C-alpha cells in the first residue's frame, strides 16, 4: 500500500452499529487508525444501542464475585471495561482505542468517516437522528448488505444514506462471516467507492491512484477547478440530488488509497473498486441463488447440480446489474471480486438461506416453517429479496429473462407439491404458490 500523509488534519472515524459484524469492522478500523496516526485520530467511536445485561456465565470474564456478573450493567460500560462485546462478539478482544458510546449524536460529532453497520430497517430513523450533528463534508461507507427493491425501483442502501444525510456514501461487501473475520481467519472484502470529483480530483490534492471511474477520467487541473463542483453522479449515471460540501484541503482525500489503508489487514484483504451498484447487488441477489442451491442440495442431487445453479445464478446477477445499472455496473465486479463470486460461493455452501432451503426439502415443510423453527425470530433475507425482485421484474415484463431469480420465488414448492398455506391466507402468490416443483429447476434453467 502507498504511504499517505502530509496533511494537517486527521480523519475521525465512527462506526454506527455494534452487532457482531459492526464490532468486527470496528475492530479492524480501530487497529488501522492506531497504526496510521498521520491520517487518523487514534480513538475510534462505535455507536451502541444501549441495553443492560450481566456478564454471561459462558464468558471468560464471568466472576461470581464481581458486580459485572451479578448485577445488570450497560452494554457500553461492559465493552469499555473488558474491551470486548460480551453479547454480540464474545471472546474477541477489541482494541483499547475503540470507544463504545450510547449517544448517536456524540458518536458522530466531528467525524469525517462514518461506517454504517446495522439492520437496514433502522437506516431512516438513525439518519434522521444524525441530521444536524455530522460534518457537512463527512463521507460514508455502508456495510449493510443488499438493496431495497419494490415494484417501482431498486435503491442502494448507500444512496439512501447519502440522500438522507447529504453526503456521499460507498459500500463494503464480500464473503465475510463476521466471527471468522473477528477471529482473524483470512478473508477478503470489496469496497466500492466512486470518489466525487471535488474529493479525489481537486487540483490542490493528490488524485486517487485508481485510474478513471465509471463517470470519466481525471481531468487536469488546467482544465477545470473542481473545488467549485458540488454535483456527483449516482449509480445510474444521473446527477444526484445531493449537493456535496467540499472537504477542507488540509484533510487527506477520501479516495481508494485511504480506504484501503483504513480497512486492509493482513487477515482481511480489501480491494477497492468504483462499482457501488455491482457490489450492492451482489450482496442481495446471491441470497436468492443460495435458496435455489439449498433446494437442489435438499433433493440430494449432489455438487454438480449445486454448481449448475450457482453458474446460472451468477449469470443472472450480472445480467440484472447490466440491465438496470448499465452506466456503472461492471461484469468483473461479479466474476472477480469478493462481493460477487466469492460471496456467492460462501452463501451457497453454508449460509442461512442455503441451510433453511435445504432443510425445507429434507423435512418436506415450508421454508417459512424452517425459518420459524431455526432462526429464533430472525428473518431470511433471501425470501423478502426474492419476492421483491420478482415484483420488480414482473412490473417490467422481464420475468422470462431471469428464470432462476424469478422461478425461485414464484414457482418453487416442496418436493411433494405442498402449498404454503400461510401465503394463500395472506392472499399473495408467495414463494410456494404451487405452480412448479423443485424437480422442474433443470427445465427452468435450460436455454430458451
Amino acid at each position: 500500500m502507498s504511504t499517505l500523509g502530509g496533511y494537517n488534519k486527521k480523519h475521525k472515524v465512527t462506526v454506527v452499529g455494534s452487532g457482531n459484524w459492526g464490532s468486527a469492522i470496528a475492530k479492524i478500523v480501530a487497529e488501522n487508525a492506531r497504526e496510521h496516526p498521520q491520517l487518523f485520530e487514534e480513538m475510534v467511536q462505535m455507536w451502541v444501542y444501549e441495553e443492560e445485561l450481566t456478564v454471561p456465565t459462558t464468558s471468560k470474564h464471568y466472576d461470581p464475585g464481581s458486580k459485572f456478573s451479578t448485577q445488570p450493567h450497560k452494554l457500553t460500560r461492559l465493552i469499555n471495561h473488558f474491551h470486548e462485546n460480551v453479547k454480540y462478539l464474545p471472546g474477541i478482544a477489541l482494541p483499547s482505542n475503540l470507544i463504545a458510546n450510547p449517544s448517536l449524536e456524540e458518536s458522530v460529532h466531528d467525524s469525517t468517516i462514518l461506517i454504517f453497520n446495522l439492520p437496514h430497517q433502522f437506516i431512516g430513523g438513525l439518519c434522521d437522528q444524525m441530521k444536524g450533528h455530522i460534518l457537512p463534508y463527512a463521507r460514508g461507507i455502508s456495510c449493510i448488505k443488499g438493496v431495497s427493491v419494490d415494484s417501482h425501483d431498486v435503491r442502494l442502501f448507500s444512496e439512501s444514506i447519502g440522500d438522507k444525510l447529504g453526503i456521499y456514501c460507498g459500500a463494503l461487501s464480500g464473503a465475510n462471516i463476521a466471527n471468522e473475520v473477528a477471529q482473524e481467519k483470512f478473508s477478503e472484502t470489496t469496497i466500492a467507492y466512486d470518489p466525487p470529483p471535488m474529493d479525489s480530483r481537486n487540483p490542490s490534492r493528490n488524485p486517487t491512484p485508481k485510474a478513471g471511474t465509471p463517470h470519466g477520467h481525471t481531468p487536469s487541473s488546467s482544465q477545470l477547478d473542481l473545488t467549485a463542483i458540488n454535483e456527483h453522479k449516482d449509480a445510474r449515471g444521473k446527477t444526484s440530488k445531493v449537493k456535496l460540501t467540499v472537504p477542507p484541503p488540509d484533510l487527506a482525500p477520501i479516495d481508494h488509497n485511504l480506504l484501503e489503508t483504513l480497512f486492509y489487514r493482513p487477515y482481511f484483504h480489501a480491494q477497492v473498486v468504483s462499482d457501488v451498484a455491482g457490489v450492492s447487488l451482489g450482496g442481495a441477489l446471491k441470497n436468492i441463488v443460495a435458496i435455489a442451491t439449498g433446494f437442489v442440495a435438499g433433493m440430494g442431487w449432489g455438487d454438480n447440480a449445486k454448481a449448475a445453479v450457482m453458474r446460472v445464478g451468477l449469470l443472472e446477477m450480472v445480467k440484472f446489474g447490466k440491465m438496470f445499472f448499465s452506466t456503472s455496473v461492471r461484469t468483473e465486479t461479479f466474476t472477480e471480486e469478493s462481493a460477487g463470486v466469492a460471496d456467492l460461493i460462501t452463501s451457497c455452501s453454508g449460509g442461512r438461506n442455503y441451510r433453511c432451503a435445504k432443510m425445507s426439502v429434507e423435512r418436506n415443510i415450508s421454508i417459512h416453517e424452517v425459518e420459524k423453527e431455526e432462526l429464533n425470530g430472525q428473518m431470511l433475507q433471501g425470501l423478502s429479496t426474492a419476492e421483491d425482485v420478482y415484483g420488480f421484474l414482473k412490473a417490467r415484463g422481464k420475468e422470462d429473462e431471469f428464470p432462476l431469480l424469478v422461478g425461485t420465488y414464484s414457482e418453487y414448492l416442496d418436493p411433494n407439491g405442498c402449498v404454503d398455506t400461510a401465503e394463500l391466507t395472506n392472499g399473495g402468490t408467495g414463494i410456494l404458490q404451487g405452480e412448479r416443483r423443485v424437480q422442474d429447476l433443470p427445465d427452468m434453467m435450460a436455454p430458451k
Side-chain angles (χ1 to χ4, degrees), residues 145-146 173-176 279-293 310 313-314 317 334 338-348 351-354 381-382 385 405:
K145 278 195 176 183
S173 187
N176 305 141
V279 166
S280 302
L281 288 170
L285 300 178
K286 53 98 178 182
N287 289 324
I288 307 176
V289 184
I291 289 175
T293 308
M310 292 166 63
L314 181 62
M317 289 165 61
F334 296 94
S338 180
V341 64
D343 199 11
L344 178 65
I345 292 170
T346 298
S347 299
C348 293
R352 291 191 304 178
N353 293 282
Y354 167 85
Q381 228 177 357
T385 302
L405 295 181

Side-chain angles (χ1 to χ4, degrees), residues 12-215:
K12 178 185 175 184
V13 182
T14 293
V15 179
V16 180
S18 58
N20 63 341
W21 185 221
S23 297
I25 284 292
K27 173 181 180 290
I28 288 169
V29 299
E31 289 170 350
N32 283 328
R34 187 164 53 192
E35 290 185 11
H36 299 279
Q38 77 280 15
L39 286 173
F40 307 107
E41 292 184 10
E42 181 178 3
M43 307 310 290
V44 172
Q45 293 281 316
M46 178 174 71
W47 174 71
V48 176
Y49 178 77
E50 194 67 285
E51 51 190 303
E52 292 193 352
L53 68 154
T54 56
V55 173
T57 56
T58 54
S59 171
K60 66 179 180 181
H61 303 294
Y62 180 77
D63 177 0
S66 167
K67 62 181 180 180
F68 292 113
S69 301
T70 58
Q71 302 173 20
H73 282 73
K74 294 186 183 302
L75 180 56
T76 50
R77 174 87 186 279
L78 295 175
I79 293 173
N80 291 330
H81 179 78
F82 292 113
H83 299 296
E84 178 182 321
N85 190 332
V86 296
K87 181 171 184 179
Y88 296 108
L89 198 64
I92 302 298
L94 299 176
S96 59
N97 62 316
L98 179 64
I99 307 301
N101 193 331
S103 169
L104 180 62
E105 294 82 1
E106 289 180 9
S107 298
V108 301
H109 180 70
D110 283 343
S111 291
T112 54
I113 299 176
L114 303 169
I115 302 169
F116 296 86
N117 207 322
L118 63 155
H120 66 85
Q121 60 265 36
F122 300 122
I123 291 174
L126 290 175
C127 285
D128 286 340
Q129 283 184 248
M130 292 168 62
K131 288 179 182 177
H133 298 281
I134 66 170
L135 292 172
Y137 53 84
R139 300 292 184 255
I141 293 289
S142 168
C143 300
I144 306 164
K145 278 195 176 183
V147 294
S148 174
V149 188
D150 57 33
S151 61
H152 303 291
D153 198 12
V154 177
R155 290 278 295 160
L156 312 184
F157 291 137
S158 57
E159 291 190 340
S160 296
I161 292 169
D163 290 349
K164 277 273 189 181
L165 296 177
I167 65 174
Y168 177 77
C169 186
L172 180 151
S173 187
N176 305 141
I177 297 173
N179 287 336
E180 293 183 9
V181 173
Q183 293 166 19
E184 301 188 3
K185 296 179 179 180
F186 172 66
S187 62
E188 300 176 309
T189 200
T190 309
I191 300 167
Y193 196 86
D194 190 13
M198 74 288 292
D199 287 16
S200 63
R201 289 169 277 188
N202 185 331
S204 66
R205 302 169 181 268
N206 295 320
T208 178
K210 303 288 185 179
T213 75
H215 307 312

Side-chain angles (χ1 to χ4, degrees), residues 147-154 284-285 288 316 320 324 381-412 423 427-435 444:
V147 294
S148 174
V149 188
D150 57 33
S151 61
H152 303 291
D153 198 12
V154 177
L285 300 178
I288 307 176
E316 290 192 15
F320 189 98
F324 300 110
Q381 228 177 357
L383 297 185
S384 59
T385 302
E387 180 178 3
D388 293 340
V389 168
Y390 170 77
F392 176 80
L393 292 172
K394 183 176 176 62
R396 285 153 184 77
K398 299 291 185 181
E399 305 102 302
D400 292 344
E401 299 193 44
F402 299 89
L404 184 63
L405 295 181
V406 169
T408 300
Y409 170 74
S410 67
E411 298 175 357
Y412 179 73
E423 285 291 333
T429 53
I431 195 166
L432 302 178
Q433 69 175 3
E435 291 183 1
M444 291 161 49

Side-chain angles (χ1 to χ4, degrees), residues 197 201-203 207 215-226 229:
R201 289 169 277 188
N202 185 331
H215 307 312
H217 297 286
T218 303
S220 67
S221 59
S222 61
Q223 292 177 302
L224 190 62
D225 178 10
L226 290 144
I229 296 178

